[in-house]
Amino acid sequence: MSRPPDDGIRPQEVAVTAPPPGDAALRFIGRIRTPWTARADCPRQGRADGPECRIELFAPWDRALAGLGAHARIEVLYWLDWARRDLVLQHPRGDGRLFGAFALRSPVRPNPIGTAEVALLAVEGAVLRVRGLDCLDGTPLLDLKPARAGFTPEAPPKPGVAG
Amino acid sequence: MSRPPDDGIRPQEVAVTAPPPGDAALRFIGRIRTPWTARADCPRQGRADGPECRIELFAPWDRALAGLGAHARIEVLYWLDWARRDLVLQHPRGDGRLFGAFALRSPVRPNPIGTAEVALLAVEGAVLRVRGLDCLDGTPLLDLKPARAGFTPEAPPKPGVAG
């Protein structure tokens, strides 16, 4: 089967002495459904006792859910598509103190990717039911992973490599 | 530095055909320096006692580091630019058992974004010294955030919103 043309894995493209130039491209693989339809309503952080939310996968990426249901906690990556990306110093408190974007978990950052660790309640076909999100209804989904804590790689250890 | 060759597809693994990604664009804001220059040498997961690594920010994004040094642990997002993106079912063990990409923390996924939580040892100008990474030397940096655990938003709570 063919792979996407931007994959950058062609043999002749390999030798770089600097990071790949320019941007990389994302695909939205699903949509997150939450109770919050305005930014002012979103909590600043997800809570373990927050409302149940839904994550809807788009085909064909729903096939990649196989086995995810074995994990009680998962990491969710999403795209904060309304956030501006040019503010390096921000003023969250209104008290005159500035913070760099990287010192905040604000949506406003050079690459507005949100991450959350949530409780996975159920996998129902192409839909996940989860608890612990804080994003707007309709937020584009980028990735799902088993949560880091407690995760053991399925692949065998590499000979001679610690970890 | 040369880019590692692509993995092939193993028997029974399933690749899908999809339009090229183009829903959103990323900028590379820095570069990660690790001891590992070949994929076979990378650990499968970062370790708290792993080697010290460096994260080098590109201008002007280094300005967004202000205040990050107050955090002992930070989240690092990076782009796994050599990974193929079309394998929805993978075969990590070679024992015939298939896993969906989302049930693995494999680099091979629709949006190859890696996440790690690392110990921040020092901020030295535009360079961070950290411990706990597992990625290849030269990996493009996408984002830095204070680690979720223990982080309290700088912004005041929103009236009427839990969390």
Side-chain angles (χ1 to χ4, degrees):
Chain A
M1 234 176 254
S2 67
R3 58 193 346 186
D6 68 325
D7 228 9
I9 338 172
R10 300 177 196 94
Q12 306 293 323
E13 293 180 343
V14 171
V16 293
T17 52
D23 296 338
L26 295 171
R27 50 168 57 105
F28 297 160
I29 59 169
R31 183 188 296 115
I32 300 177
R33 293 300 187 192
T34 74
W36 306 294
T37 55
R39 285 166 51 191
D41 298 333
C42 292
R44 293 215 189 275
Q45 294 197 293
R47 295 164 56 113
D49 62 351
E52 190 176 306
C53 300
R54 291 161 57 91
I55 300 176
E56 303 169 353
L57 276 289
F58 301 148
W61 312 111
D62 54 328
R63 298 190 65 184
L65 291 173
L68 183 63
H71 298 276
R73 295 192 65 79
I74 63 172
E75 196 175 350
V76 183
L77 275 64
Y78 43 94
W79 187 248
L80 299 154
D81 53 351
W82 50 266
R84 64 185 293 168
R85 302 171 66 166
D86 55 349
L87 292 189
V88 290
L89 292 173
Q90 298 175 36
H91 203 180
R93 289 177 173 167
D95 65 354
R97 192 159 164 219
L98 286 167
F99 291 83
F102 303 138
L104 301 169
R105 293 187 64 94
S106 156
V108 174
R109 46 208 320 114
N111 292 302
I113 299 169
T115 71
E117 191 181 302
V118 304
L120 177 58
L121 308 176
V123 182
E124 297 168 350
V127 176
L128 311 183
R129 292 195 289 111
V130 304
R131 201 182 295 277
L133 286 170
D134 60 6
C135 60
L136 270 181
D137 187 46
T139 295
L141 179 69
L142 296 178
D143 198 11
L144 300 167
K145 307 176 193 282
R148 219 175 280 119
F151 178 71
T152 304
E154 297 294 344
K158 298 180 187 178
V161 178
Chain B
M1 188 186 96
S2 56
R3 173 176 289 175
D6 172 41
D7 268 346
I9 182 166
R10 299 185 183 102
Q12 300 172 307
E13 288 187 328
V14 174
V16 294
T17 304
D23 295 313
L26 294 171
R27 49 169 60 106
F28 297 158
I29 59 169
R31 182 192 294 117
I32 300 178
R33 292 300 188 192
T34 75
W36 305 294
T37 56
R39 284 168 51 192
D41 298 333
C42 292
R44 293 215 189 275
Q45 294 197 291
R47 294 164 58 110
D49 62 352
E52 189 176 308
C53 300
R54 290 162 56 92
I55 300 176
E56 304 169 353
L57 276 288
F58 302 148
W61 310 112
D62 54 329
R63 296 194 68 187
L65 291 174
L68 183 62
H71 298 276
R73 295 192 64 79
I74 62 171
E75 195 176 351
V76 183
L77 275 63
Y78 44 94
W79 187 247
L80 300 155
D81 55 347
W82 49 267
R84 62 187 296 167
R85 302 172 66 166
D86 58 346
L87 292 190
V88 289
L89 291 174
Q90 300 174 34
H91 202 178
R93 290 177 173 166
D95 66 354
R97 192 160 164 219
L98 287 167
F99 291 82
F102 302 139
L104 301 169
R105 294 185 65 94
S106 156
V108 175
R109 46 207 321 112
N111 291 302
I113 300 169
T115 71
E117 191 181 301
V118 304
L120 177 58
L121 307 175
V123 182
E124 296 168 351
V127 175
L128 311 184
R129 292 196 290 112
V130 303
R131 202 183 294 278
L133 285 171
D134 59 7
C135 60
L136 270 180
D137 187 46
T139 295
L141 179 69
L142 297 178
D143 199 10
L144 301 167
K145 306 176 195 282
R148 219 174 280 119
F151 178 71
T152 303
E154 297 293 346
K158 297 181 187 177
V161 178

